[in-house]
Amino acid sequence: MTALDAPPTARPTERTTLATGRRRVMRLPSRVVTALWALPVPLLLGLLWDCGVAGGWTLPFGIQMRFLPTPYEVARRLADLAVGGIVDDTYSGTLWLHLYASTLRVTQGFALAAAVAIPLGIVMGRSRLVYRMLEPTINLVRPIPVTAWAPLSLLIIGFGDRSTIFLVFLAAVFSILLNTIAGVRAVPERLLEAAAMLGTPPAHTLYKVVLPAAVPGVVAGLRIALGLSWVILVVGETVGIRVGLGALITQAREQSRTDLIIAVMIVIGLAGFLADRLLMLLVRLLARRRPLLP
């Protein structure tokens, strides 16, 4: 065979594209397998739920399952909330309006908490003097439940979005702060000494060494705080707010609509789950290929 008869070889760029395509194809089955492993538990819980309602089970803490709606009734209500035209009442098709309002409040409170807690946590983690000055006060305020702040916030802030955003901020700020402090203080001293030996100026050590090493702790705090933000959202939206997932639960409770309450609870759970996934995606995009996360 001559050189002219030899099959053409792929160019470097073509080989890279083919390799990338193969990797994407190989990733797909693993994601499908992960999703399949996650399905049995909710399916089993749904089956037990349906059997418990039909059989009138009594669970621990005196939970009477005969008073609960069936999974079909909740799914029907959830579909009506999303698209309307099924139950056809005042709540039909209003899900996206309530979800948007609640997501906006959670985002604002969570972002404000992160903007305050991360810089403060870095300073407290690096400075023993600042830590000794602020740590007693923080640990004095931190155990006060957010629900205890709710009546006070209504009196000093008033009804509306700002009170809810303030409560979300309180729920999120301490988790981010404590995890940031722990992440910064866990940076090995040998790592700092190695950076100094390699000629890294002290002013650059913070963002070149300390921050990358503390990222896992900071991200853990952000994830915990984001979950707490959705928990406290319901408390903040129960009084003086007419649009929001918490307000929707309050209205459903006043009308004894258990199917609507459970449907909104499912929406809150899904919203928190998606928010956590989006947060992790954002962190990985910012980190790019740096080994900052497991």
Side-chain angles (χ1 to χ4, degrees):
M1 181 183 292
T2 62
L4 294 175
D5 296 331
T9 57
R11 296 179 181 178
T13 55
E14 294 176 353
R15 288 199 297 267
T16 305
T17 305
L18 290 173
T20 305
R22 291 194 190 99
R23 285 197 298 268
R24 289 177 179 174
V25 171
M26 291 177 64
R27 285 197 199 113
L28 182 59
S30 63
R31 294 176 181 176
V32 173
V33 170
T34 302
L36 291 176
W37 273 108
L39 281 177
V41 174
L43 290 177
L44 178 60
L45 290 176
L47 179 61
L48 293 174
W49 174 9
D50 188 65
C51 294
V53 174
W57 294 354
T58 300
L59 302 181
F61 304 102
I63 299 174
Q64 303 292 328
M65 292 199 67
R66 66 176 181 271
F67 297 124
L68 293 177
T70 63
Y72 170 76
E73 292 171 339
V74 173
R76 185 168 175 265
R77 170 61 72 176
L78 192 56
D80 181 71
L81 277 175
V83 299
I86 301 175
V87 180
D88 202 17
D89 57 8
T90 56
Y91 302 107
S92 297
T94 61
L95 173 63
W96 308 112
L97 176 64
H98 293 288
L99 181 60
Y100 172 77
S102 294
T103 302
L104 191 60
R105 294 176 188 127
V106 167
T107 303
Q108 290 176 333
F110 175 76
L112 182 60
V116 171
I118 293 177
L120 181 59
I122 293 172
V123 173
M124 291 181 65
R126 294 295 298 161
S127 173
R128 293 184 178 179
L129 176 61
V130 176
Y131 181 83
R132 290 175 180 174
M133 291 176 61
L134 297 180
E135 187 269 341
T137 303
I138 290 173
N139 281 313
L140 178 66
V141 177
R142 184 171 62 89
I144 301 175
V146 177
T147 51
W149 286 95
L152 181 62
S153 67
L154 294 176
L155 293 174
I156 63 178
I157 299 177
F159 298 97
D161 289 351
R162 291 183 298 176
S163 178
T164 303
I165 293 170
F166 172 70
L167 293 178
V168 171
F169 167 81
L170 285 178
V173 68
F174 294 112
S175 296
I176 303 174
L177 178 61
L178 294 180
N179 278 274
T180 302
I181 294 173
V184 171
R185 299 187 77 176
V187 176
E189 289 295 330
R190 292 183 179 180
L191 194 61
L192 301 175
E193 294 172 359
M197 292 177 60
L198 293 173
T200 304
H204 297 176
T205 303
L206 180 63
Y207 69 89
K208 286 187 175 181
V209 180
V210 175
L211 285 180
V215 162
V218 176
V219 172
L222 290 172
R223 296 182 70 182
I224 296 172
L226 187 56
L228 289 174
S229 299
W230 285 100
V231 172
I232 297 302
L233 172 74
V234 177
V235 177
E237 291 182 339
T238 52
V239 181
I241 291 179
R242 302 300 299 174
V243 178
L245 297 176
L248 196 56
I249 288 181
T250 302
Q251 297 168 24
R253 182 198 63 193
E254 294 171 352
Q255 300 173 21
S256 299
R257 298 193 177 185
T258 53
D259 59 337
L260 183 57
I261 293 175
I262 297 177
V264 179
M265 289 170 61
I266 293 173
V267 170
I268 293 175
L270 291 173
F273 176 81
L274 292 177
D276 180 77
R277 290 298 182 266
L278 288 174
L279 174 64
M280 294 303 298
L281 177 61
L282 178 61
V283 171
R284 293 185 189 280
L285 289 176
L286 293 176
R288 295 180 183 177
R289 296 184 178 180
R290 298 176 184 176
L292 302 180
L293 296 173

